[in-house]
Amino acid sequence: MSSSKPTLETTFCGISCLNPFWLASAPPTNCGEQVMRAFDAGWGGAVWKTIGEPITNVSSRYSSIDWEGRRMMGFNNIELISDRPIEVNLREIAEVKRRYPKHVVIASLMVESKRESWHDIVQRAEDAGADGLELNFGCPHGMSERGMGSAVGQVPEYCEQITGWVKEKARTPVIVKLTPNISDIRIPARAAKRGGADALSAINTINSITGIDLDTFQPNPNVDGKSSHGGYCGPAVKPIALNMVQQIQADAGSVLPLSGIGGIGGWRDVAEFILLGCSTVQVCTAAMHYGYRIVEDMQDGLLNWMSEKGFATLEDFRGLSLPNVREWKQLNLNYQIVARIHEDLCIGCQLCYTACWDGAHQCIHLDRTSPVLDTTRTPAMVEVEAARRISSTPIPKLDTGSARTISAVTPLERIPRVDEHHCVGCNLCSLVCPVENCITMERIDKGISAESWEQRVAKGMVPSGASGVMSTNT
Amino acid sequence: MSERVPFPEQIAATSKVAERFGDLHPPLDRQAAVPEANRCLYCFDAPCTNACPTHIDVPRFIKKIASGNLSGSARTILDANILGASCSRACPVEVLCEGACVMHRYNKQPIQIARLQRFAMDALYDSGAPLPFEPGAETGLSVALVGAGPASLACAAELRRRGIRADLYDARPLPGGLNTYGVAEYKLPLVESLREIEMLAQLGVDFHFETRIDAAGLAELEQKHHAVFLGIGLGAIHKLGVAGERLPGVTNALDLIAGYKSGSLTTVPNRVVVVGAGNTAIDAAIAAVRLGAIDVHIVYRRGPEQMSAFTFEYEHAKNEGVKFLWHVQPTGIRGSRAVEGIELTKLDSTDDGSIVPQEGSEFVLEADLIVLSIGQATHSGFLSEYPGEFGKIQAERGRIVIDRETGQTSNPKFFAGGDCTNGGREVVDAVADGKRAGVSIAAWLEAQHVIV
Ligand SMILES: Cc1cc2nc3c(=O)[nH]c(=O)nc-3n(C[C@H](O)[C@H](O)[C@H](O)COP(=O)(O)O)c2cc1C
Ligand code: SF4
Ligand code: SF4
Ligand code: SF4
């Protein structure tokens, strides 16, 4: 680390990459012209829109969830694999590779579950010049009904078997793309590993129905009045994807080089996926939303962050957060925090007050003006009192004497108080508080050493509970 | 009721004037309203609600906009303020709800409560749905309301919802008082005021127009009804008391505003001088600009710090091109057959705080129209003549004295609210007064065990 400029160059299961930013197999990688424009914009790789026997799509095929004014927080599609002929796709792959030899082109493949079909498509994709193969065992809609996509991904035996067929033929690395529509992601991951996969990518889209039109009672997206379950992706799915990534990376039977997918839209997301062990990332919804240009800030932002932290390469921080994700039973039970309100920042919205009363442990109070602490009033009582008090509220600025009602300073009686003895440190108030850093969670030093549930069980302090029940999270 | 022509249809279209008085704040569309509504924090015991004289549950109606429940939103507004549409346009929200929004303390723009309120009210009116309230079961009780301005309208709505008859008497041909005739058109168009009051007619409020109530008439109303509400507003605008005041070309701000709003006044001459610096003076000066005047001055005895107009109204007037002359006193009006100018004397403030004319500083400001806006008289004369049965209605400095919580006057059968009790405030204050009085009248009648 000569602390010169950090680099984004990396290697993924033997494939060298200019940077870890790949476009996921989806509409942004539908044709050669698009992929070349994406490379010009700065993407290091592209997983070609899944190739197979061409299909016919329906219209419409997308729908989305908007959240408080932001569009497409969650995105849903009932699109199938490429609707263009295999030959055309392969010809264009060859053309792209000829013009962009240093960029990564991965062929995403899906054919019927027959050994010959897979051998044939693997051969043709590699002949076209693909740097690697991604097996689409994920599509939750349409293809699964034909015994492909998630119909394969959900059955570990098929997963292992087809990966094996591909490995018999493949000369380039084989990446298995996993479906999240399964109770434990490690089961198909282990199957893929047993089948000989060189790498994994996760996650594909999640089964979903985004919503129903309340006027027509028709679900979205609307296809001639009817709809079908579709694949969910976009910012809304990132937490699910991160969890699955962590599970794969923390499991010896599953772990392989991993390309992280799901809700990635910016450099912060990328950093998080790499901190949980991913080597590259793939992006679909964000590129569909804002176009290829988003990659510029992904590069810029990640490099700046790496310089700040003193990381020269992606390997320097890959997986650093993995040891920090534990099972619940290993967490310290002797650790206590309480909420503290910083009066100078509080704007008096009292959201923390009503949240703690209705959603937590009734230990935030509005009694700053009363000499004797009154902890007996419920929010409903406070509301009634307030309504009485305001029955003839003076008009600020007009009624003399109350000119100061509008001011930058929050009146003391509007600033809530935390009863720290009763606060359980759940965090809710600090999550609802609209003002940054206004409620901080402060550590209470209990003067006793750390101890987990597991340790208590080991000491015989607590019963271990039922054994032999398999938790999906262990 | 079926032959009644709806109020908005009773006015002649004055499109020329309307064109000149486009909205001060354009309405929000859905794409703008929903994110704005989502910006509201949904404060507990919200300061914006406390600051609204009618205590509209602001976060509640705003969250209903965010969720797409527009009719519920409108109902929440109307529940607290039956003139929610007018108020959303005419309220000085900078010093009321929006002024109290906690966002100020976060160095953020306050939530645009007024525009959201208008959004919800417009949606209700555009949907063609009726007022979301039913009149109460008839009790046989009746109340006379004198003046059909905001205070009486709000009072009448409360009474009707409790099954009490409400008979409104007004000297003008249309209801609404200042809402209809006195608020600048770019804030509250006349048709909008009428559209809102039209909904009150559905509650069964009875209107009696072009009926001036004098002392004798009041005595008669007292006989005929179980209670009387006085929403009589203020009287004529004060005179300067200088020579030339009777010349053609001298008018007052209220007549000017009522004139252009009702279409009887469509232009003004080139040079206009407005005397006074309250919010009405500002409205008149801006109206003069928009009606075609080239040179509009506001002259005022004191400085900008002392004027009663809100700062944002002052800024608005300056933006419209109104010029201000401070520390001057009109001493005469010049002209042979019509106004030609106004004589002004500069004023100096002395050490003891009083203001004295500056010797030899007299000058003449040329003008074709002089608009007086120097305060309004009260109806004290009319009240003192009133031969009350239970006792006099007490007044102080011309304002009717009421109990602020109930609106009851010193004569228990009489209630009052609005400008005649507070000396001239905002529409929303009048609505709040009327609402409190309506609730209290019903309670008082019940307590009297008035036999049905
Ligand atoms: C319209 C659309 C079409 C897609 N088609 C494919 C596909 O053909 N093959 C595939 O493996 N994944 C497909 N995906 C899934 C994406 O590659 C990706 O796994 C998923 O969208 C999650 O990433 P994101 O949150 O960045 O969008 C598709 C996604 C979308 C939105
Ligand atoms: S949520 Fe935050 S800003 Fe609001 S009252 Fe509580 S501490 Fe103050
Ligand atoms: S951390 Fe939880 S329990 Fe403590 S004050 Fe906040 S909301 Fe209440
Ligand atoms: S004070 Fe502002 S943020 Fe709070 S409820 Fe009222 S409008 Fe919303």
Side-chain angles (χ1 to χ4, degrees):
Chain A
M1 257 203 262
S2 61
S3 88
S4 57
K5 271 191 174 168
T7 176
L8 294 174
E9 280 180 37
T10 189
T11 313
F12 181 70
C13 62
I15 305 170
S16 50
C17 315
L18 295 170
N19 63 45
F21 313 121
W22 292 4
L23 285 167
S25 172
T29 58
N30 202 36
C31 68
E33 185 269 340
Q34 280 179 293
V35 171
M36 290 190 286
R37 274 198 293 117
F39 289 167
D40 289 342
W43 294 89
V47 184
W48 208 272
K49 171 78 183 170
T50 304
I51 303 166
E53 282 308 322
I55 47 70
T56 307
N57 271 311
V58 293
S59 317
S60 58
R61 58 190 88 151
Y62 305 152
S63 59
S64 73
I65 302 283
D66 298 340
W67 182 246
E68 305 235 318
R70 260 196 74 184
R71 311 284 281 169
M72 280 171 60
M73 291 307 290
F75 188 73
N76 165 295
N77 80 89
I78 50 171
E79 185 171 289
L80 306 182
I81 63 170
S82 181
D83 52 11
R84 306 160 80 232
I86 298 178
E87 311 73 57
V88 176
N89 279 311
L90 295 177
R91 203 184 320 126
E92 290 180 9
I93 288 179
E95 175 69 10
V96 171
K97 270 315 288 184
R98 195 178 59 76
R99 295 208 209 177
Y100 293 81
K102 288 188 176 162
H103 289 73
V104 178
V105 175
I106 305 286
S108 170
L109 305 175
M110 181 193 291
V111 290
E112 37 169 358
S113 301
K114 285 196 188 129
R115 189 180 199 164
E116 314 75 65
S117 308
W118 280 100
H119 280 181
D120 176 58
I121 191 78
V122 165
Q123 171 98 44
R124 292 171 69 189
E126 291 188 337
D127 288 350
D131 298 297
L133 310 168
E134 187 180 82
L135 313 187
N136 180 347
F137 293 169
C139 261
H141 36 74
M143 305 313 290
S144 53
E145 287 142 26
R146 308 168 201 200
M148 294 186 253
S150 62
V152 175
Q154 288 167 340
V155 183
E157 295 75 36
Y158 297 167
C159 210
E160 179 176 350
Q161 185 177 45
I162 295 175
T163 309
W165 291 340
V166 171
K167 280 300 288 181
E168 288 166 8
K169 191 79 183 171
R171 290 162 278 138
T172 60
V174 174
I175 309 164
V176 172
K177 183 169 180 179
L178 301 174
T179 174
N181 298 312
I182 185 140
S183 60
D184 186 346
I185 193 81
R186 288 167 300 187
I187 291 167
R190 287 173 194 159
K193 192 169 179 174
R194 282 196 304 275
D198 301 285
L200 300 172
S201 56
I203 57 174
N204 210 314
T205 51
I206 306 172
N207 271 334
S208 65
I209 292 175
T210 45
I212 312 277
D213 185 319
L214 290 184
D215 292 320
T216 62
F217 311 151
Q218 293 162 346
N220 303 321
N222 186 326
V223 185
D224 197 13
K226 302 284 183 289
S227 192
S228 181
H229 67 99
Y232 202 44
C233 51
V237 311
K238 190 182 94 173
I240 297 165
L242 280 177
N243 175 53
M244 293 193 162
V245 162
Q246 185 272 335
Q247 287 195 297
I248 293 165
Q249 291 294 307
D251 178 60
S254 311
V255 65
L256 280 174
L258 182 60
S259 188
I261 317 172
I264 295 168
W267 64 268
R268 289 175 170 276
D269 307 320
V270 175
E272 290 174 61
F273 275 84
I274 297 177
L275 282 166
L276 283 180
C278 292
S279 305
T280 61
V281 293
Q282 299 184 26
V283 176
C284 165
T285 306
M288 291 179 75
H289 196 165
Y290 300 112
Y292 299 136
R293 59 193 169 146
I294 56 165
V295 75
E296 193 274 335
D297 182 52
M298 291 170 85
Q299 299 188 9
D300 193 40
L302 192 63
L303 282 171
N304 286 338
W305 176 77
M306 287 168 67
S307 321
E308 272 167 36
K309 301 288 171 195
F311 297 134
T313 69
L314 303 183
E315 284 307 306
D316 289 347
F317 64 100
R318 195 169 70 80
L320 284 192
S321 295
L322 283 172
N324 296 335
V325 185
R326 292 296 178 87
E327 285 177 40
W328 190 91
K329 66 180 182 206
Q330 293 163 337
L331 301 178
N332 181 4
L333 293 170
N334 289 351
Y335 173 80
Q336 188 61 50
I337 52 171
V338 295
R340 192 154 295 158
I341 294 174
H342 298 270
E343 291 88 351
D344 51 329
L345 294 175
C346 174
I347 59 172
C349 66
Q350 300 179 347
L351 289 184
C352 56
Y353 167 72
T354 190
C356 188
W357 270 85
D358 293 357
H361 296 81
Q362 303 85 44
C363 50
I364 296 188
H365 305 285
L366 297 180
D367 52 9
R368 294 241 189 196
T369 46
S370 82
V372 183
L373 299 185
D374 177 5
T375 57
T376 55
R377 294 177 310 158
T378 65
M381 289 157 71
V382 170
E383 219 170 1
V384 170
E385 284 166 29
R388 269 197 218 113
R389 198 173 60 238
I390 63 179
S391 74
S392 56
T393 313
I395 300 167
K397 277 194 185 164
L398 289 184
D399 284 318
T400 44
S402 60
R404 270 157 284 112
T405 23
I406 303 172
S407 99
V409 182
T410 306
L412 194 63
E413 78 242 29
R414 285 207 65 86
I415 303 178
R417 174 188 66 88
V418 178
D419 175 356
E420 291 188 7
H421 293 291
H422 290 109
C423 171
V424 302
C426 73
N427 238 9
L428 181 65
C429 56
S430 75
L431 296 176
V432 300
C433 178
V435 184
E436 209 170 337
N437 298 326
C438 175
I439 300 185
T440 53
M441 303 304 297
E442 309 275 341
R443 182 180 189 139
I444 301 281
D445 193 6
K446 286 183 153 182
I448 37 178
S449 52
E451 190 176 50
S452 67
W453 172 260
E454 198 171 48
Q455 286 165 325
R456 286 190 188 175
V457 172
K459 282 189 201 161
M461 291 163 68
V462 282
S464 59
S467 59
V469 177
M470 184 185 156
S471 154
T472 52
N473 274 310
T474 49
Chain B
M1 190 67 55
S2 55
E3 306 110 71
R4 207 179 62 80
V5 182
F7 295 129
E9 288 165 32
Q10 292 179 30
I11 48 160
T14 51
S15 59
K16 275 239 183 66
V17 170
E19 258 169 45
R20 290 209 176 136
F21 290 87
D23 267 328
L24 194 54
H25 302 292
L28 292 175
D29 56 19
R30 205 185 66 84
Q31 283 279 342
V34 171
E36 184 64 11
N38 277 315
R39 222 162 60 79
C40 167
L41 298 173
Y42 199 47
C43 293
F44 180 79
D45 186 16
C48 49
T49 294
N50 294 359
C52 168
T54 59
H55 306 311
I56 294 178
D57 193 333
V58 174
R60 189 182 299 261
F61 95 73
I62 288 182
K63 278 299 159 200
K64 289 183 180 179
I65 292 177
S67 80
N69 177 7
L70 292 184
S71 57
S73 179
R75 196 196 157 102
T76 302
I77 294 164
L78 290 169
D79 225 356
N81 182 335
I82 198 75
L83 300 187
S86 303
C87 287
S88 74
R89 294 154 173 271
C91 273
V93 290
E94 290 84 348
V95 297
L96 299 175
C97 54
E98 290 182 21
C101 177
V102 298
M103 288 293 184
H104 287 289
R105 306 190 193 119
Y106 200 8
N107 283 332
K108 288 186 175 175
Q109 283 295 324
I111 308 303
Q112 297 182 53
I113 301 170
R115 293 178 80 193
L116 288 170
Q117 185 170 321
R118 175 171 166 196
F119 179 77
M121 295 309 304
D122 281 353
L124 174 78
Y125 294 143
D126 294 346
S127 75
L131 200 63
F133 304 118
E134 306 259 295
E138 291 298 336
T139 57
L141 298 168
S142 87
V143 174
L145 301 99
V146 187
S152 296
L153 292 169
C155 183
E158 294 298 335
L159 295 171
R160 290 303 301 137
R161 288 175 70 182
R162 288 166 175 77
I164 300 169
R165 275 195 50 184
D167 280 291
L168 268 91
Y169 299 87
D170 199 282
R172 300 222 192 219
L174 284 169
L178 283 181
N179 263 15
T180 300
Y181 292 102
V183 182
E185 187 78 3
Y186 51 81
K187 291 184 195 159
L188 175 59
L190 182 127
V191 272
E192 293 297 330
S193 169
L194 295 178
R195 185 161 80 152
E196 181 174 58
I197 300 166
E198 180 60 30
M199 301 203 90
L200 278 177
Q202 296 167 6
L203 271 183
V205 173
D206 283 324
F207 292 93
H208 309 270
F209 295 116
E210 302 183 85
T211 315
R212 190 172 286 279
I213 304 295
D214 54 10
L218 197 58
E220 205 177 297
L221 291 182
E222 184 185 353
Q223 294 301 318
K224 269 180 33 196
H225 297 275
H226 296 94
V228 179
F229 178 80
L230 300 172
I232 49 184
L234 293 172
I237 285 208
H238 288 309
K239 295 272 185 202
L240 281 171
V242 299
E245 210 165 348
R246 287 178 193 281
L247 282 172
V250 180
T251 182
N252 70 65
L254 289 180
D255 285 351
L256 176 89
I257 295 169
Y260 84 73
K261 282 184 71 99
S262 56
S264 63
L265 183 80
T266 51
T267 59
V268 292
N270 285 345
R271 296 167 304 180
V272 178
V273 172
V274 179
V275 184
N279 292 314
T280 308
I282 300 255
D283 280 353
I286 295 172
V289 172
R290 298 207 176 187
L291 289 168
I294 290 167
D295 216 21
V296 178
H297 280 93
I298 279 190
V299 299
Y300 184 50
R301 293 167 59 235
R302 295 170 182 270
E305 315 77 38
Q306 288 94 12
M307 69 175 172
S308 58
F310 295 122
T311 318
F312 50 87
E313 299 280 14
Y314 173 46
E315 294 300 327
H316 177 206
K318 285 197 290 189
N319 286 342
E320 297 256 352
V322 175
K323 284 168 263 179
F324 287 79
L325 274 181
W326 306 111
H327 305 291
V328 290
Q329 165 120 40
T331 45
I333 290 173
R334 292 232 178 136
S336 45
R337 259 164 303 155
V339 165
E340 287 165 17
I342 182 163
E343 291 168 16
L344 298 167
T345 305
K346 291 191 186 155
L347 297 171
D348 267 338
S349 44
T350 60
D351 294 339
D352 66 358
S354 60
I355 40 177
V356 293
Q358 206 178 314
E359 223 155 299
S361 67
E362 298 82 9
F363 67 104
V364 174
L365 185 61
E366 293 186 354
D368 313 306
L369 180 70
I370 293 174
V371 185
L372 303 183
S373 185
I374 48 176
Q376 272 174 279
T378 54
H379 294 292
S380 48
F382 149 75
L383 285 175
S384 59
E385 282 163 30
Y386 172 68
E389 193 185 311
F390 299 106
K392 289 259 182 260
I393 301 163
Q394 200 190 326
E396 232 171 59
R397 285 180 298 136
R399 303 174 191 181
I400 301 173
V401 178
I402 53 166
D403 171 39
R404 221 181 148 191
E405 305 277 321
T406 60
Q408 199 161 31
T409 69
S410 56
N411 180 338
K413 201 173 171 180
F414 283 79
F415 290 73
D419 284 358
C420 66
T421 62
N422 62 28
R425 271 193 173 172
E426 304 302 330
V427 173
V428 65
D429 298 302
V431 174
D433 281 357
K435 178 174 107 171
R436 282 194 289 265
V439 174
S440 306
I441 291 172
W444 180 75
L445 288 177
E446 196 185 344
Q448 300 304 297
H449 304 293
V450 182
I451 313 294
V452 182

